Amino acid sequence: MGNAAMALRAAHVRTGADRYSGIAAELKALVERVRELEDEARSSMHELHSTDPERFVRCRDGHEPWPGEIPAGFIPRHTCKDECLYHDRQVLDAIMQCTCGRPPCRACEIGGKL
């Protein structure tokens, strides 16, 4: 959005057309509203992290929806398709992080892809 604002200012300076400054004012108001929404979301995440850190991790890892998301449309993240750092990427230090022996993930169970 910063690039768009700069382009609108440049267009106004070069052409003198007021329509560019009007659009720039609208864009500025939109950017301010987006920042407010980002702050609200960030505050909500910080609150969840401090009040229920285990749920925060489940949401972060894609096992359950974030508070405020529509649960009916939630699909768990496919964790069984994650590559194993040890076997797939040959990261020798990652032997303790091997995920190859895990059962199918919850998304596969729900989707019936067992």
Side-chain angles (χ1 to χ4, degrees), residues 70-75:
I70 300 171
F74 175 75
I75 299 172

Side-chain angles (χ1 to χ4, degrees), residues 6-38:
M6 287 176 27
L8 289 168
R9 280 193 295 271
H12 181 257
V13 167
R14 291 183 180 164
T15 66
D18 288 334
R19 66 181 183 216
Y20 295 114
S21 61
I23 294 172
E26 291 177 37
L27 180 61
K28 181 180 177 186
L30 180 61
V31 168
E32 289 173 2
R33 181 66 184 131
V34 168
R35 284 188 184 138
E36 290 172 8
L37 293 172
E38 287 175 338

